[in-house]
């Protein structure tokens, strides 16, 4: 029996080759697309969940209220981990985690730049990063210890075992002893580093960490088994009051707990607490995947039903020959399952093929989890559901027909079935339009980000870190660099202007409320910074070498003047960290953070002669001489600072990195929108074939009565054009609402009203795509010889 | 009015070549009522389709009036069709989604007649067919006889010179069949040329002559009544 089913299924597939191929293609693409999204969502959700006792691990975050303004973040005082572990009995372990920075390490003749971080003694007891050598409880005990990755161990010493006990030179100023080697970090770890140095070393290198008022590193705690995180959070809420003297009515810092494993997805803060973030994209894409799958399923059902109409005769004959209804249902379901299985197999192959490119696109290392039972189980469940969903309608409908009416050729679907089918077309087109408009808006915003003038010129601007001897020899470097053809300007910078995040409440001016702790961003710069960055001055002047008093002079931006109410600020008093001075100039506002953030008030001070400088320099070069200039700069830097490899970064690159997720989302949505519209078109094609099949007699009659080809095409297309128009009318307000909501995350964003044409173009494009899809079919129907059609009657 | 000379119609598929008409020559005068008879598959419907310009011959000449239309394109054939020829089918071929009025009106829509004139014309024809009281009904709400009356109304609303009827009583009972034949006779008496394909010898006798077709050829012709050319062409 089953053999016969398969045989008939194969035969009917072959008979309607093009139709069957369309059907298979649509379903395969739908499954491929959803599978890719599913794998991506799986991968995103798996980040940081691999740690043992993961539910006991929590980030301590801070909620700051300054003059009524609430903000939040993971920055905590460096003294917090040790103290909180001591004072709160429910906390079993605690560690601080600084930040991963490119650091120079050398062993004998080998020098490499690797990502180094600082962390506390409990680190390897809290997190499940397996140690290949060394003891988790002691590896970070001695201040001069360093724990390195397998990769780093192999790089310097050949193997993890050989690395243990060896010495590594750090930043050419300190020798560290390898006390442990950990396995290379999995891609699913949000923390990424090549080596870890001790917390003591971090505190020693950063004087400001001794003060409870300064926050920067993050703190992770492991609660004791059974401890209630909410109760602990309530307990530590006012923990800092006892330590930070600055806490007052107008300046409050509270602590909170947030699950470590969830922080990757909820890294945005709202009202001072973690709220959304990447989870938004997970939700959006999960919905997209579901929609695409539903669209593909609907189409599959539509096309199968349409194809089955041609098989009315077969069904009628089978019934006449004595087939039971049940056996016919089985036959059609078997065919649907066969088709779905084929689509799933093809989709798996396609996903396997696409994964390398998809991984590049999403910057991930996703693989199909062949061995995971849940994966196979969900695939099988999906197959079962899809087969039932798509095969049931044709199966039950066709098998219910009376043999006489089928054999007489009066097979026709009722009005309700047609209405449902049209509703489904409107649904999938609304969805595709939503995706297309969404994609356009995201691309426009990304383009806006990329092209918007930041207030400084980021083209041909280089950042070179000042490290090792370069700090001391900076004047010499600058002098030699400026002599290189192609180098236009050189200036010291405390931080890259792409993202300045130094905050302080230590700014004073005449008339300031003594209780106010209003926060300013601050940047330390060297001479010529204005010219190098090509910033604009609104008033006054910049720092000049011939003004000795400029060491106590400040520049502020326009945003700062919204807080400092000086009418004519140049020459007025300003004190920074207690150092009295004068405002000498006002900078036109420029973006020194992502477009998600408002331009903050900024104070710029002169740090040309500061000692222990760990910033960088900005170098402006000419476009046409970039390569030559870079080569010469490398020679100069290597000569002056031989212990450190020469590294640099283009400001443009740093800027793009700020919008990494937007850029990925933009690419992903483009891909999925394209696929969705393609699948929707296949559905439309199916429906038009179906509808034409149903109206062949009508077309014949109309032609006999004198209707021209154009009139028939118009008649047959108008229905579909109406349906897409309806979908368009639904999609426009919906997409407007959704995309406006997405854009509201950006302080600096495009205005949808200015981009009305996106909506218009999408509509026009959709109209043409609809016509193009159905025109071949309607043309075929319209040019059909009416004699053939009416003969069938 | 119509002259066919050595008309052939060959259907080709990749493997088989079937000859439906095999050298048919035929002349029909304006105002004639001609019945075409023959067994199933003999080519009579093909002949009717070619006569009605909904199909074109593979070979031969076809004069419709003074025009040689055998090689006409579909759009040119449609132009001639819509002003000159009305069709009546065995299965009525009414459009299920349109009501009686709209079905009849359809034939006028493609002639670009003004809406007001169309309405008057349709109402007049429906009255003639005694179907005014059913004009808001849909085909599936009518009996077979009524459906065929609507189909005839649609065929004549254009005031065609020629009506082609393909087994017009095939789906009707005797009483309704008789009514339809009376209607056709009446139309013929009013000057319309009628060519009818039928299986029924009884119906065929309504015509002035009977043409017998077998295997794509005219094998005999019986003249039943004298034909007088009522109206000059």
């Amino acid at each position: 029996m089953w053999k016969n089913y398969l045989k008939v299924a194969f035969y009917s597939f072959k008979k309607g080759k093009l139709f069957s191929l369309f059907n298979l293609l649509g379903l395969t693409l739908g499954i491929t697309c959803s599978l890719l999204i599913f794998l991506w969502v799986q991968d995103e959700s798996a980040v940081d969940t691999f740690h043992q006792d993961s539910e006991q691990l929590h980030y301590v975050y801070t909620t700051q209220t300054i003059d009524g303004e609430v903000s939040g973040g993971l920055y905590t005082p460096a003294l917090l981990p040790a103290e909180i572990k001591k004072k709160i009995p429910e906390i079993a372990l605690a560690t601080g985690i600084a930040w991963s920075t490119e650091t120079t390490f050398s062993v004998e003749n080998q020098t490499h730049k690797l990502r180094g971080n600082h962390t506390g003694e409990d680190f390897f007891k809290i997190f499940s990063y397996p140690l290949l050598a060394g003891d988790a409880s002691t590896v970070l005990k001695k201040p001069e210890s360093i724990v390195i990755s397998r990769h780093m161990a192999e790089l310097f010493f050949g193997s993890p075992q050989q690395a243990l006990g060896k010495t590594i030179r750090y930043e050419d100023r300190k020798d560290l002893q390898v006390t442990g080697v950990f396995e290379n970090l999995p891609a699913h770890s949000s923390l990424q580093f090549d080596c870890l140095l001790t917390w003591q070393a971090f505190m020693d290198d950063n004087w400001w960490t001794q003060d409870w008022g300064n926050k920067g590193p993050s703190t992770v705690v492991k609660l004791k088994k059974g401890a209630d995180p909410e109760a602990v959070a309530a307990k530590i809420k006012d923990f800092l009051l006892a330590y930070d003297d600055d806490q007052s009515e107008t300046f409050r810092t509270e602590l909170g707990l947030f699950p470590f494993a969830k922080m990757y997805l909820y890294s945005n803060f709202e009202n001072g607490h973690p709220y959304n973030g990447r989870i938004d994209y997970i939700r959006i894409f999960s919905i997209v995947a579901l929609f695409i799958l539903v669209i593909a399923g609907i189409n599959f059902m539509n096309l199968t039903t349409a194809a089955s109409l041609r098989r009315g005769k077969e069904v009628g004959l089978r019934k006449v020959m004595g087939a039971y209804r049940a056996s016919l249902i089985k036959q059609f379901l078997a065919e649907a399952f066969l088709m779905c299985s084929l689509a799933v197999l093809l989709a798996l192959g396609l996903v396997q093929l696409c994964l390398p490119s998809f991984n590049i696109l999403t910057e991930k290392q996703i693989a199909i989890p062949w061995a995971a039972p849940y994966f196979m189980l969900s695939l099988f469940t999906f197959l079962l559901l899809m087969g039932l969903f798509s095969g049931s309608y044709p199966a039950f409908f066709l098998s219910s027909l009376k043999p006489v009416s089928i054999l007489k050729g009066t097979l026709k679907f009722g009005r309700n079935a047609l209405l449902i089918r049209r509703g489904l077309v409107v649904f999938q087109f609304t969805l595709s339009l939503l995706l297309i408009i969404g994609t356009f808006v995201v691309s426009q915003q990304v383009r806006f980000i990329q092209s918007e003038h930041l207030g400084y010129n980021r083209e041909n601007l280089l950042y070179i870190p000042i490290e090792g001897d370069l700090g001391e020899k900076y004047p010499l470097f600058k002098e030699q660099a400026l002599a290189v053809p192609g180098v236009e300007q050189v200036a010291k910078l405390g931080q890259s202007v792409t993202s300045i995040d130094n905050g302080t409440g230590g700014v004073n001016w005449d008339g300031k409320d003594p209780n106010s702790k209003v926060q300013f961003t601050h940047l330390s710069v060297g001479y010529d910074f204005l010219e190098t960055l090509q910033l604009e001055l609104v008033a006054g002047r910049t720092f000049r070498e011939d003004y000795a008093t400029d060491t106590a002079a400040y520049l502020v931006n326009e945003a700062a003047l919204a807080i400092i109410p000086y009418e004519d600020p140049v020459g007025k008093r300003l004190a920074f960290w207690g150092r009295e001075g004068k405002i000498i100039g006002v900078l036109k506002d420029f973006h020194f953070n992502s477009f998600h953030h408002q331009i903050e008030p900024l104070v710029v001070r002169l740090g040309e002669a500061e000692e222990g400088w760990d910033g960088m320099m900005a170098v402006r070069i000419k476009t046409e001489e970039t390569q030559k200039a870079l080569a010469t700069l490398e020679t100069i830097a290597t000569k002056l600072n031989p212990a450190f490899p020469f590294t640099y970064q283009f400001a443009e690159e740093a800027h793009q990195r700020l919008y990494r997720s937007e850029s990925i989302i933009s690419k992903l949505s483009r891909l999925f929108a394209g696929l969705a519209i393609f699948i929707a078109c296949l559905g439309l094609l199916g429906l038009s074939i179906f509808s034409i099949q149903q109206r062949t007699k009508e077309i014949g009659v109309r032609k006999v009565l004198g209707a021209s080809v154009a009139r028939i095409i118009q008649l047959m297309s108008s229905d579909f054009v109406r349906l897409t128009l309806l979908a368009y009318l639904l999609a426009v307000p919906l997409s407007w609402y959704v995309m406006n909501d997405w854009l509201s995350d950006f302080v600096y964003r495009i205005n949808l009203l200015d981009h009305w044409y996106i909506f218009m173009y999408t509509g026009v494009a959709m109209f043409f795509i609809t016509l193009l899809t159905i025109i071949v079919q309607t043309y075929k129907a319209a040019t059909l010889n009416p004699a053939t059609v009416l003969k069938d009657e | 009015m119509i002259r066919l000379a050595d008309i052939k119609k060959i259907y080709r598929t990749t493997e088989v070549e079937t000859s439906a008409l095999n050298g048919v020559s035929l002349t029909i005068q304006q105002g004639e009522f001609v019945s075409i008879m023959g067994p199933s598959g003999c080519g009579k419907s093909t002949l009717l389709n070619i006569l009605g310009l909904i199909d074109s011959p593979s070979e031969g000449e076809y004069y419709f009036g003074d025009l040689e239309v055998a090689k006409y394109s579909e759009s040119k054939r449609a132009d001639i069709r819509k002003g000159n020829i009305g069709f009546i089918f065995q299965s009525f071929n009414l459009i299920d989604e349109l009501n009686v009025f709209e079905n009849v009106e359809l034939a006028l829509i493609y002639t670009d007649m003004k809406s007001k004139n169309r309405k008057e014309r349709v109402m007049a024809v429906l009255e003639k067919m005694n179907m005014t009281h059913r004009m808001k009904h849909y085909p599936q709400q009518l009996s077979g006889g009524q459906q065929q009356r609507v189909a005839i109304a649609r065929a004549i609303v254009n005031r065609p010179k020629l009506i082609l009827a393909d087994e017009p009583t095939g789906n009707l009972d005797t009483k309704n069949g008789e009514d339809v034949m009376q209607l056709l006779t009446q139309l013929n008496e009013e000057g319309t040329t009628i060519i009818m394909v039928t299986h029924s010898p009884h119906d065929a006798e309504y015509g002035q002559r009977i043409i017998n077709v077998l295997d794509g050829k005219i094998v005999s012709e019986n003249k039943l009544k004298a034909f007088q050319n009522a109206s000059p062409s």
Side-chain angles (χ1 to χ4, degrees):
Chain A
M1 196 58 148
W2 285 101
K3 206 172 144 195
N4 181 268
Y5 289 158
L6 284 179
K7 225 161 126 183
V8 175
F10 179 70
Y11 178 70
S12 71
F13 183 96
K14 231 175 104 183
K15 199 172 161 206
K17 238 181 270 166
L18 193 69
F19 206 79
S20 310
L21 274 179
F22 272 152
N23 205 357
L24 190 62
L25 181 68
L27 191 61
T28 305
L29 281 179
I31 298 173
T32 307
C33 204
S34 310
L35 209 54
L36 281 174
I37 298 180
F38 170 78
L39 290 173
W40 179 75
V41 167
Q42 274 283 38
D43 194 84
E44 284 279 278
S45 313
V47 170
D48 287 341
T49 53
F50 60 90
H51 297 291
Q52 216 183 339
D53 305 327
S54 168
E55 69 293 336
Q56 286 166 255
L57 309 187
H58 293 267
Y59 265 111
V60 178
Y61 68 88
T62 46
T63 306
Q64 284 204 90
T65 314
I66 303 166
D67 293 347
E69 291 237 353
V70 184
S71 62
L74 289 180
Y75 29 84
T76 54
L79 295 165
L80 181 69
E83 196 64 17
I84 206 167
K85 183 179 161 188
K86 203 156 51 178
K87 293 282 163 65
I88 307 290
E90 290 90 340
I91 293 177
L93 299 163
T95 182
I97 300 169
W99 30 85
S100 279
T101 41
E102 289 284 315
T103 317
T104 307
F105 295 95
S106 40
V107 174
E108 289 166 9
N109 300 331
Q110 285 189 78
T111 302
H112 294 286
K113 284 237 174 216
L114 293 154
R115 284 167 306 175
N117 203 340
H118 291 80
T119 182
E121 273 177 54
D122 288 347
F123 187 86
F124 285 100
K125 288 189 267 178
I126 294 176
F127 297 111
S128 312
Y129 298 115
L131 279 173
L132 305 170
D135 174 22
S137 51
T138 56
V139 277
L140 286 164
K141 218 167 183 116
K142 286 192 217 142
E144 66 280 7
S145 306
I146 180 168
V147 187
I148 63 177
S149 68
R150 174 197 284 273
H151 162 72
M152 189 167 169
E154 287 169 351
L155 195 67
F156 280 118
F157 308 104
S159 76
Q161 286 68 32
Q162 281 173 311
L164 207 62
K166 297 277 167 51
T167 303
I168 292 182
R169 189 143 182 86
Y170 165 73
E171 293 282 289
D172 198 33
R173 61 183 169 85
K174 223 195 263 180
D175 283 326
L176 302 172
Q177 197 188 18
V178 179
T179 50
V181 180
F182 57 87
E183 185 55 271
N184 290 335
L185 299 184
H188 286 156
S189 170
S190 66
L191 298 173
Q192 291 291 337
F193 45 82
D194 296 305
C195 59
L196 290 173
L197 282 73
T198 62
W199 202 239
Q200 192 55 53
F202 176 66
M203 305 265 294
D204 290 347
D205 282 351
N206 296 279
W207 56 267
W208 53 266
T209 53
Q210 308 297 333
D211 188 334
W212 279 90
N214 294 326
K215 301 166 198 81
S218 50
T219 300
V220 176
V221 296
K222 181 173 185 177
L223 301 185
K224 284 190 179 143
K225 241 194 176 72
D228 174 20
E230 270 180 48
V232 179
K235 215 167 176 179
I236 63 170
K237 191 175 169 210
D238 294 321
F239 190 83
L240 291 181
L241 278 182
Y243 300 91
D244 184 2
D245 302 336
D246 288 341
Q247 297 290 316
S248 67
E249 286 275 303
T250 51
F251 181 77
R252 277 291 296 277
T253 311
E254 289 171 355
L255 298 183
L257 284 185
F258 196 79
F260 176 80
K262 277 171 82 179
M263 189 47 93
Y264 174 74
L265 297 177
Y266 294 85
S267 57
N268 288 355
F269 279 76
E270 202 168 285
N271 283 328
H273 302 282
Y275 177 82
N276 289 359
R278 293 182 78 90
I279 190 76
D280 282 339
Y281 292 121
I282 288 204
R283 287 188 190 127
I284 291 172
F285 280 109
S286 299
I287 292 171
V288 168
L290 190 71
F291 279 173
I292 289 181
L293 212 54
V294 169
I295 289 179
I298 289 169
N299 285 339
F300 184 68
M301 195 167 83
N302 259 343
L303 288 164
T304 312
T305 312
S308 67
L309 270 190
R310 284 195 302 221
R311 298 177 58 190
K313 218 167 221 170
E314 177 199 324
V315 173
L317 274 173
R318 279 176 188 272
K319 281 201 155 183
V320 170
M321 309 292 270
Y324 287 115
R325 187 166 177 210
S327 69
L328 284 170
I329 292 179
K330 266 195 249 164
Q331 153 107 44
F332 280 103
L333 282 180
E335 283 180 29
F337 277 120
L338 190 74
M339 197 75 145
C340 285
S341 314
L342 203 58
V344 167
L345 280 178
L346 284 173
L348 279 172
L350 216 57
V351 167
Q352 187 69 43
L353 267 175
C354 293
L355 268 180
S357 319
F358 188 72
N359 280 336
I360 292 173
L361 188 81
T362 53
E363 298 173 17
K364 283 195 171 290
Q365 294 164 30
I366 299 171
I368 298 180
W370 296 109
Y374 79 89
F375 180 72
M376 284 300 155
L377 200 69
S378 20
L379 216 58
F380 186 71
T381 314
F382 164 79
L383 195 68
L384 216 64
L385 285 175
M386 194 61 146
L388 267 179
F389 174 62
S390 55
S392 56
Y393 186 74
F396 287 95
F397 170 76
L398 278 174
S399 61
S400 73
L401 294 172
K402 290 191 182 69
V404 181
S405 65
I406 315 171
L407 288 174
K408 272 174 108 183
T410 47
L411 197 56
K412 202 142 189 180
F413 285 111
R415 267 171 191 273
N416 279 344
L418 203 66
L419 210 67
I420 292 174
R421 211 158 281 122
R422 285 180 177 173
L424 294 177
V425 166
V426 171
F427 172 74
Q428 51 176 278
F429 266 76
T430 307
L431 210 71
S432 310
L433 279 165
L434 195 70
L435 276 174
I436 294 171
I437 294 175
T439 305
F440 269 121
V441 173
V442 172
S443 319
Q444 285 295 324
Q445 174 66 15
V446 169
R447 186 181 296 177
F448 168 78
I449 289 166
Q450 283 164 348
S451 63
E452 178 70 1
H453 186 55
L454 299 174
Y456 67 92
N457 182 359
R458 62 177 191 269
E459 273 168 53
N460 303 316
L461 185 65
L462 276 182
Y463 297 134
I464 298 173
I466 297 181
E467 48 193 356
D469 295 343
L470 216 50
E472 213 174 284
K473 294 177 180 164
Y474 170 72
L476 195 58
F477 178 87
K478 183 172 178 175
E479 190 191 316
Q480 292 183 8
L482 283 175
V484 175
V487 174
E488 291 181 321
Q489 296 285 352
V490 179
K492 261 184 170 183
L493 279 181
Q495 270 192 301
S496 105
V497 282
T498 315
S499 71
I500 309 176
D501 54 11
N502 291 326
T504 178
V507 181
N508 261 302
W509 60 91
D510 289 342
K512 184 189 175 191
D513 174 2
N515 292 323
S516 168
K517 280 278 180 183
V518 62
Q519 295 285 301
F520 282 76
T521 306
H522 63 96
L523 176 70
S524 164
V525 300
Y527 294 118
D528 303 327
F529 89 102
L530 190 97
E531 296 80 357
T532 309
L533 299 174
Q534 296 182 357
L535 289 165
E536 267 181 70
L537 264 180
V538 181
R541 61 172 179 86
T542 181
F543 303 113
R544 277 169 50 179
E545 279 178 84
D546 45 349
Y547 283 75
T549 52
D550 273 2
T551 45
Y554 303 103
L555 291 169
V556 292
N557 67 351
E558 290 169 306
L561 291 179
I563 292 161
I564 306 170
Y566 288 149
E567 212 156 276
D568 187 11
V570 177
K572 297 277 165 58
R573 174 191 165 248
L574 191 87
F576 185 88
W577 288 347
R579 193 180 171 90
E580 289 293 334
K582 281 194 170 62
I583 297 173
I584 57 162
V586 179
L587 291 168
K588 192 172 166 50
D589 276 344
F590 64 99
H591 291 277
F592 49 81
N593 223 318
S594 95
F595 280 24
H596 288 292
H597 303 281
Q598 195 74 256
I599 295 178
E600 303 282 341
L602 172 77
V603 174
V604 180
R605 63 201 160 86
L606 185 64
E608 181 81 14
E610 261 175 36
E611 277 179 26
W613 182 281
D614 61 354
M616 58 182 61
M617 58 182 117
V619 179
R620 164 89 45 207
I621 48 178
K622 285 187 190 142
T623 330
E624 59 277 15
E625 285 170 90
T626 311
Q627 286 315 315
K628 232 157 86 195
L630 275 172
T632 323
L633 285 174
E634 181 171 4
T635 318
I636 299 171
T638 321
K639 212 163 85 193
L640 294 178
N641 191 23
F644 290 79
F646 174 72
T647 53
Y648 61 88
Q649 187 186 28
F650 280 99
E652 180 63 39
E653 227 175 273
H655 174 72
Q656 297 300 344
R657 195 172 294 174
L658 281 182
Y659 306 102
R660 213 179 112 229
S661 28
E662 282 81 4
S663 161
I664 293 174
I665 295 310
S666 170
K667 285 184 219 156
L668 277 183
S669 52
R670 229 174 295 164
L671 180 76
F672 293 134
L675 272 170
I677 184 72
F678 184 74
I679 296 170
C681 279
L682 279 179
L684 188 66
L685 188 72
L687 195 75
S688 69
I689 293 173
F690 183 77
S691 154
I692 285 162
Q693 262 177 15
Q694 292 261 293
R695 294 175 76 178
T696 317
K697 184 185 94 174
E698 182 186 337
I699 295 171
V701 172
R702 283 177 185 269
K703 284 201 76 180
V704 166
L705 294 176
S708 61
V709 172
R711 286 291 281 266
I712 299 281
I713 291 181
Q714 189 193 352
L715 175 83
M716 296 308 292
S717 319
S718 64
D719 247 12
F720 297 106
V721 171
R722 263 203 296 271
L723 292 182
T724 35
L725 192 71
L726 180 63
Y728 180 67
L729 290 179
L730 288 172
V732 166
L734 201 63
S735 52
W736 187 284
Y737 174 78
V738 173
M739 291 326 287
N740 226 0
D741 189 53
W742 180 76
L743 283 170
S744 68
D745 272 353
F746 291 88
V747 179
Y748 301 93
R749 47 167 275 192
I750 56 167
N751 185 345
L752 282 182
L753 276 177
D754 296 337
H755 291 73
W756 55 269
Y757 56 85
I758 290 179
F759 295 85
M760 196 186 76
Y761 289 166
T762 311
V764 172
M766 199 63 167
F767 176 77
F768 279 109
I769 289 173
T770 306
L771 278 187
L772 214 71
T773 310
I774 57 176
I775 206 88
V776 179
Q777 290 301 322
T778 45
Y779 181 78
K780 258 200 328 217
T783 49
L784 211 69
N785 187 345
T788 344
V789 180
L790 297 173
K791 198 161 64 187
D792 284 346
E793 293 290 322
Chain B
M1 183 193 190
I2 284 171
R3 189 164 66 82
L4 301 183
D6 202 20
I7 288 291
K8 288 180 182 158
K9 180 70 184 178
I10 295 157
Y11 293 107
R12 288 186 181 92
T13 63
T14 41
E15 286 150 23
V16 203
E17 199 177 277
T18 322
S19 175
L21 291 178
N22 200 3
V24 171
S25 297
L26 175 67
T27 306
I28 291 168
Q29 302 293 321
Q30 172 86 40
E32 251 193 299
F33 188 152
V34 178
S35 303
I36 300 174
M37 289 191 76
S40 290
C42 71
K44 49 188 195 305
S45 288
T46 308
L47 179 60
L48 199 72
N49 286 336
I50 288 175
L51 284 168
L53 294 171
I54 51 181
D55 207 349
S56 52
S58 311
E59 276 176 47
E61 292 175 354
Y62 176 11
Y63 286 91
F64 189 88
D66 298 328
L67 302 171
E68 211 290 273
V69 296
K71 300 273 181 296
Y72 269 26
S73 68
E74 160 60 22
S75 67
K76 272 179 138 179
R77 292 206 308 264
D79 279 345
I80 298 179
R81 244 178 5 230
K82 61 185 169 189
N84 297 297
I85 308 173
F87 292 88
I88 301 167
F89 303 94
Q90 176 183 1
S91 53
F92 326 129
N93 279 337
L94 297 175
I95 293 171
D96 295 341
E97 287 75 18
L98 305 180
N99 64 26
V100 166
F101 184 92
E102 291 162 340
N103 260 296
V104 177
E105 192 191 21
L106 202 59
L108 295 175
I109 280 180
Y110 299 115
T111 59
D112 297 328
M113 186 182 280
K114 282 210 174 92
S115 161
K116 190 170 160 261
N117 297 350
R118 277 207 310 260
K119 203 174 166 196
E120 283 169 9
R121 203 52 106 77
V122 173
M123 288 309 289
V125 174
L126 285 178
E127 209 154 302
K128 187 172 178 179
M129 293 292 129
N130 202 15
M131 286 299 293
T132 335
H133 62 300
R134 297 273 185 207
M135 70 180 188
K136 293 281 178 224
H137 286 63
Y138 285 88
Q140 54 275 30
Q141 297 170 304
L142 304 175
S143 72
Q146 288 172 326
Q147 288 193 44
Q148 194 58 304
R149 286 226 292 282
V150 177
I152 295 174
R154 187 178 64 186
I156 62 170
V157 73
N158 250 339
R159 296 178 186 156
K161 292 189 192 112
L162 173 65
I163 284 184
L164 298 171
D166 192 355
E167 303 209 30
T169 62
N171 276 357
L172 301 176
D173 56 31
T174 321
K175 164 83 183 59
N176 279 310
E178 204 62 40
D179 286 351
V180 166
M181 289 316 298
Q182 291 298 340
L183 269 172
L184 290 178
T185 311
Q186 191 193 331
L187 288 170
N188 179 244
E189 283 164 4
E190 287 166 11
T192 314
T193 312
I194 292 178
I195 304 172
M196 176 180 73
V197 162
T198 182
H199 271 119
S200 153
H202 173 262
D203 288 353
E205 283 173 12
Y206 280 87
Q208 287 130 11
R209 57 176 163 140
I210 300 174
I211 291 168
N212 291 300
V213 181
L214 187 67
D215 295 338
K217 279 184 180 161
I218 294 176
V219 288
S220 65
E221 205 182 309
N222 309 345
K223 211 168 237 175
L224 302 172
K225 314 169 191 157
F227 164 68
Q228 288 150 349
N229 199 343
S231 55
S233 59

